[in-house]
Amino acid sequence: MRGRSFALVTLAVTPVLLFGLVFTMLVLLTPSKSTAATCGPAVSAVTDVNTKVEGYTEEQLKNAAAIMGAGDALDLSLKGQMVSVMVSLGESGLRVLDYGDGPGPDSRGLFQQRDNGAWGSYADRMDPTISATNFIKALQKVEGWELLEPTIAGNKVQRNADPYHYQKYWPEAVKLVQALSDGKFSLEGSDCAIPGKSGAGDDYPWKVCPTWMQVGAGAASASPLGMFYRECVDFALWRVNQQMGSTGEPFKFLNGNFRPDGQGLGSALTWKAGWDAKGWPTGSVPRVGAVVWYAPGAGGADPTFGHVAVVKEVKDDGTYVEEGYNGNPPPDDHNYYTRTVSNEIPSVFLYLPTQEEKK
């Protein structure tokens, strides 16, 4: 990471007066709907002999469909269906297992439910629909589960040792629910809080809008978030809104209303202070969807303004993939980028309130 590559990542390079004009207009926006994102109502599952999903057997697809059907019957949201399929993938690979493991030798079925009276009889735990129904009922009792990371929501029910165990199964769960649904649905614009949108790539809504360098530092270059188009801070704030269930105007989190003390969230330089002012957690462990904060000069960031990005993927070798905007030198500045980074390089990771440190 070169210093030049991050030299233009913040808004602080523009005149203060223009900032005030832009942000005054945009701070007036207020959210009109709750951030309790559900991705919409549940979908019905359709399977027959012609239903194929690469990498999955007919048995696995039938079990996934049974889970989706149980969710539909309980008025579970689409996100809840995906969480349920994700947990079953992580527990049994979508198979009705008649055996447990070391930590739970009495665990059985799609969700490896224990013989402790909470999950019904042995027959109940071995029945795909009944076991899924019992899992979903427990999920629906978790307060605020809709806004938790999917893996955290699942862990609140399963109580396994690693709350991030299910994280790697989320993309496959989404794929399966989409493949088995009885109608088309899209995660885009669905008001669904999907941490990091891992795998979505460049879904930034304003990727073709002019930068402040092209049209000047005014309203023409300002996004609805109160930042300038295609800056690192605007992309990161888009991800924050998206993960918190605010995917369309009026957005919940703006540059001008993020901090409770009335100050702007501002350039990359002040994001750590903004997180502290809001009381949101920070830490040294990368989490999918967390904002990566580089203090000035850290990891090659600009020595004056620093840089922000977003964790896209966490790897097992002590590295993570970050995504962002305006992290490369010209002529590829103000565009989307990804890079693999060592965990020790960033100054700190800025978490959302729906994220938790691994205990």
Side-chain angles (χ1 to χ4, degrees):
M1 301 182 198
R2 299 178 182 175
R4 177 68 181 117
S5 69
F6 289 160
L8 300 175
V9 297
T10 75
L11 300 181
V13 295
T14 61
V16 174
L17 178 59
L18 288 173
F19 267 139
L21 292 174
V22 173
F23 295 152
T24 298
M25 290 185 291
L26 295 172
V27 166
L28 296 177
L29 296 176
T30 56
S32 63
K33 53 188 175 182
S34 167
T35 60
T38 62
C39 302
V43 293
S44 298
V46 175
T47 58
D48 56 36
V49 293
N50 297 316
T51 303
K52 306 291 183 185
V53 178
E54 184 178 358
Y56 294 92
T57 66
E58 181 180 354
E59 174 199 3
Q60 289 172 301
L61 295 181
K62 286 182 177 179
N63 288 333
I67 295 170
M68 292 171 62
D72 192 16
L74 291 172
D75 293 323
L76 185 69
S77 66
L78 175 58
K79 181 179 180 180
Q81 287 178 306
M82 293 189 287
V83 168
S84 302
V85 172
M86 173 195 71
V87 169
S88 183
L89 278 168
E91 292 290 349
S92 68
L94 284 173
R95 298 178 176 88
V96 182
L97 300 181
D98 196 15
Y99 56 86
D101 54 21
D106 58 345
S107 299
R108 294 293 186 274
L110 285 178
F111 294 88
Q112 286 291 277
Q113 292 162 334
R114 303 292 300 271
D115 185 19
N116 56 12
W119 306 105
S121 66
Y122 168 81
D124 292 338
R125 291 181 290 141
M126 293 295 289
D127 183 287
T129 297
I130 296 175
S131 63
T133 296
N134 288 333
F135 170 84
I136 292 165
K137 286 180 177 179
L139 176 66
Q140 290 174 321
K141 292 178 181 178
V142 175
E143 183 177 358
W145 71 266
E146 297 94 340
L147 284 178
L148 296 174
E149 290 183 81
T151 184
I152 297 297
N155 178 259
K156 294 290 186 182
V157 176
Q158 299 296 96
R159 304 290 182 181
N160 48 321
D162 180 5
Y164 284 86
H165 168 71
Y166 305 109
Q167 182 170 274
K168 60 187 174 183
Y169 300 101
W170 176 252
E172 288 298 300
V174 173
K175 181 177 79 172
L176 283 165
V177 173
Q178 287 179 312
L180 298 177
S181 66
D182 59 354
K184 299 287 185 179
F185 73 86
S186 172
L187 299 181
E188 299 305 317
S190 63
D191 201 30
C192 180
I194 302 178
K197 293 288 288 185
S198 182
D202 187 8
D203 61 355
Y204 176 64
W206 310 292
K207 66 184 71 175
V208 298
C209 292
T211 69
W212 70 270
M213 299 180 67
Q214 294 171 324
V215 298
S221 58
S223 89
L225 304 180
M227 303 288 189
F228 288 144
Y229 292 129
R230 294 160 60 185
E231 294 289 342
C232 71
V233 286
D234 201 54
F235 176 83
L237 195 54
W238 153 248
R239 277 282 187 260
V240 169
N241 275 281
Q242 185 183 51
Q243 294 176 90
M244 296 299 289
S246 180
T247 58
E249 295 186 59
F251 290 96
K252 181 174 178 60
F253 299 102
L254 309 177
N255 178 58
N257 71 3
F258 186 88
R259 291 179 60 150
D261 56 10
Q263 296 186 43
L265 181 57
S267 69
L269 173 67
T270 57
W271 273 49
K272 173 60 166 59
W275 239 252
D276 292 342
K278 198 169 182 64
W280 282 8
T282 64
S284 60
V285 179
R287 295 280 175 248
V288 172
V291 173
V292 188
W293 185 68
Y294 294 90
D302 181 84
T304 302
F305 301 118
H307 182 61
V308 290
V310 179
V311 178
K312 178 179 174 64
E313 176 188 355
V314 178
K315 297 181 176 291
D316 295 330
D317 62 357
T319 64
Y320 69 92
V321 178
E322 81 174 29
E323 60 175 349
Y325 259 67
N326 203 21
N328 289 323
D332 198 32
D333 56 331
H334 292 94
N335 292 320
Y336 179 78
Y337 78 91
T338 62
R339 61 165 58 95
T340 300
V341 185
S342 171
N343 292 354
E344 292 77 24
I345 291 178
S347 303
V348 73
F349 295 96
L350 310 178
Y351 305 125
L352 304 187
T354 55
Q355 296 173 323
E356 297 182 3
E357 284 267 24
K358 184 182 292 185
K359 301 299 189 293

